[in-house]
Amino acid sequence: MTALLLRHARVEDSPDPTDIRVRGGRIEAIGPGLAPPEGIGAEVVDCAGRVVIPGLIEAHLHPDKALLDGLPQEGPEGTGSLADAIRITAQLKAGFTYDEVRARAEQVLRMCVLNGTTAVRAHPDVDPVAGLTGLKVLLELREKWAALVTLQVVAFPQEGIFKAPGTEKLLREALDAGADAVGGCTYNEASLADCHRHVELVLDLAAEYGVPADLHADFGDDAADPRFALAEFIASRTAERGLQGRVTLGHATSLGGRPPTERRAALAALAAAGVAVVPLPATDLFLGGRGDDTAPRRGLAPVRELWDADVLTACATNNIRNAFTPYGTGDVLETALLLARVAHLSGPSDLRRVLRMVTYDAARVIGVPDADYGVREGAVADLVVLDTRDHATLLLDRPARTAVVKSGRVVARSAFSAELDGSLIAGEVA
C-alpha cells in the first residue's frame, strides 16, 4: 500500500503552496498542514514550493521502431520523404529480434518516465514483415513496467491491410492476445476504395472487440490525393457504429491544406462524431512539404481551428530517432513547445491550452476517466514535481522533473536543482 506526503507543493497554478497526501495510490487529501500518512514505508517529500502537475501523457508513440538511427541499412540513404521512411523502416524491421526490440523499447520507456510521463499509448507494427514481435514485446513491457508507467498497446498495421495480405488475421491475433486498441494506417493503401475498406474494417474490429480505434490518417500536405481527405468519411462511419469518443486520428496534416469551407465542414464532422485528433509535430514537420521548392508547407493539423471546433486535441511525440523523425529525447513537453512554436500559439491562454494537450486532453484521448486524473482528491496519484515555482512559464522553461510519482510511489528523481552562484558575477556581493 503506497503512502506519500508531498509537502509545500504548488498545485498547478495555485498561488500558495499546500500539501498533497496520498494513500493506496490515490490522492487522499489536499490542504495545508496535513499530517504525514501512517504506515510502513510512508514517504514525505518537501517540494519547497515547486509546481506539481498531473503525470504527462504520451498519447502516440512507436517504441518498437525508436532508436533505429544507429542501425546499418541497405540501399540508398533516405531523402526525408514519407515513402523513404516507410521503405527504410520496413527493411530494418525485417531483421528485428524480440530481444533487440525489447532493449530499444525499454530504453525509450526509461526516457519517458524520467521526463515525467506516467502513461504511454504505444503503436507497435503488426504486419507480415514485423509479425507480432513488437506487439508481444510491448505486451510484456505493459506488465513489467506497470509500476512505473501505464502502457496501452495499439495493434498498428503500418504496411496497410489490403496492401499487405495476411494483416487482418494478424490484427485479430493481436487483439486476441490482449492489445488495448486497434490501429489503422489508411494512407498506405493503394486506392481510395481500399482506404475506405481499411477504415470500415478497423472500426468493425473496434466494435467487435470493444476497444478504441486509433488511426494514422490524413498524412499529406493537402488533400489532392483523395486518400488523404478521409476525415468526414471516418466521422460518419464512427457515428454509424456508436463509437463516439473512442476513435482518434493521428497526424491529420492534410486538414490544414484544405480550403477553409471544406476544413470547417471536416472539423465540424469530427467534433459531432467525437473523433479526437493528435498532431505529431516532430514527424509532421520533418516529413511534410518535401515536394515544395518554394515556401515549404508546415504539414501540421490546424490546431487553433480544432480547438475552436471543439475537437478533442492532444499532442504527442510519435517517433524517436528513426527515419520518420531523426530527433527526440522522450520529453513530451519539448514536443508540446515545438507545436506551440510552429502553430502560432503564444501567450498565457494558448500555452496553458497546449500544456493541456499533453495532460488533461491527452488523458481523455487515451480513455482515462476524468475522475481518475489530475491533482485533485480521489484521483490516481500520477504526478510530476517540476523544478519551478512558476506555472505560467512551465512550458517555456521545461524545468527538470524533480520527482515523478506513479500511483503514489516516487519512481524517478532528479538529484540536482539548477542554481547559479551569484557571488561570481562581477560587482555582486555574496
Side-chain angles (χ1 to χ4, degrees):
M1 182 174 179
T2 55
L4 172 71
L5 180 68
L6 297 179
R7 195 176 289 288
H8 304 128
R10 198 173 302 274
V11 176
E12 304 198 66
D13 59 354
S14 173
D16 301 311
T18 189
D19 297 343
I20 304 170
R21 189 168 62 209
V22 176
R23 194 186 306 274
R26 290 184 179 267
I27 298 173
E28 180 181 65
I30 298 176
L34 294 179
E38 299 177 354
I40 298 174
E43 183 175 4
V44 177
V45 175
D46 185 0
C47 298
R50 292 180 176 87
V51 171
V52 175
I53 65 171
L56 298 170
I57 307 289
E58 183 64 84
H60 186 128
L61 190 65
H62 295 269
D64 59 318
K65 297 188 295 194
L67 308 176
L68 297 180
D69 53 343
L71 298 183
Q73 66 183 61
E74 299 175 1
E77 272 194 37
T79 62
S81 69
L82 173 61
D84 271 355
I86 293 172
R87 173 184 61 80
I88 291 167
T89 305
Q91 178 241 309
L92 290 173
K93 73 182 177 184
F96 283 0
T97 67
Y98 190 95
D99 289 344
E100 183 263 338
V101 172
R102 180 174 56 190
R104 286 188 291 99
E106 288 201 277
Q107 185 175 345
V108 169
L109 291 179
R110 183 177 186 277
M111 294 162 69
C112 290
V113 172
L114 288 173
N115 280 303
T117 295
T118 57
V120 173
R121 176 173 277 188
H123 293 248
D125 284 14
V126 170
D127 55 55
V129 179
L132 296 177
T133 298
L135 179 119
K136 289 178 179 178
V137 165
L138 286 162
L139 289 177
E140 176 195 340
L141 298 184
R142 184 177 67 185
E143 306 307 316
K144 181 178 177 181
W145 281 71
L148 291 93
V149 61
T150 297
L151 191 60
Q152 291 185 0
V153 182
V154 182
F156 171 54
Q158 169 71 81
E159 309 300 324
I161 297 176
F162 301 103
K163 187 178 177 182
T167 299
E168 179 182 352
K169 180 175 181 291
L170 288 168
L171 288 175
R172 288 185 174 278
E173 289 179 11
L175 290 163
D176 288 335
D180 299 290
V182 58
C185 192
T186 58
Y187 64 78
N188 213 5
E189 298 291 0
S191 68
L192 178 60
D194 279 351
C195 287
H196 287 171
R197 293 171 64 204
H198 186 122
V199 171
E200 300 271 17
L201 176 59
V202 168
L203 297 182
D204 283 344
L205 288 172
E208 178 182 345
Y209 282 86
V211 297
D214 197 325
L215 297 90
H216 292 52
D218 289 339
F219 202 164
D221 294 322
D222 54 40
D225 184 333
R227 294 177 304 160
F228 297 141
L230 297 180
E232 295 95 328
F233 181 82
I234 293 170
S236 69
R237 297 309 188 264
T238 295
E240 282 180 3
R241 291 165 175 78
L243 292 173
Q244 293 91 334
R246 296 177 60 78
V247 177
T248 301
L249 302 184
H251 301 292
T253 55
S254 73
L255 286 172
R258 296 176 68 176
T261 301
E262 282 187 24
R263 190 163 63 242
R264 284 192 292 271
L267 299 184
L270 293 174
V275 176
V277 173
V278 181
L280 307 165
T283 302
D284 299 340
L285 291 165
F286 178 71
L287 295 178
R290 291 287 177 165
D292 298 336
D293 57 13
T294 303
R297 284 167 283 186
R298 291 171 180 262
L300 196 68
V303 176
R304 191 181 299 282
E305 293 179 46
L306 286 162
W307 291 350
D308 291 344
D310 290 328
V311 176
L312 178 60
T313 311
C315 167
T317 298
N318 191 43
N319 280 291
I320 297 177
R321 303 183 193 179
N322 63 15
F324 291 90
T325 321
Y327 322 109
T329 62
D331 185 357
V332 75
L333 286 182
E334 179 181 281
T335 302
L337 181 61
L338 173 63
L339 178 75
R341 286 170 169 153
V342 299
H344 296 150
L345 304 170
S346 64
S349 60
D350 279 358
L351 295 182
R352 180 187 295 269
R353 187 72 184 267
V354 172
L355 180 60
R356 287 188 62 91
M357 294 175 74
V358 292
T359 53
Y360 290 94
D361 292 342
R364 290 177 60 204
V365 165
I366 70 169
V368 179
D370 289 346
D372 287 345
Y373 186 80
V375 191
R376 54 173 164 241
E377 293 178 358
V380 175
D382 288 355
L383 306 167
V384 186
V385 183
L386 298 127
D387 190 19
T388 183
R389 292 164 180 80
D390 188 355
H391 183 272
T393 63
L394 190 158
L395 192 61
L396 297 174
D397 295 336
R398 300 175 320 288
R401 317 304 124 94
T402 301
V404 181
V405 178
K406 177 64 182 172
S407 297
R409 180 182 289 109
V410 178
V411 297
R413 303 174 193 264
S414 176
F416 300 101
S417 178
E419 293 182 3
L420 182 71
D421 185 351
S423 68
L424 300 178
I425 301 173
E428 293 290 323
V429 178

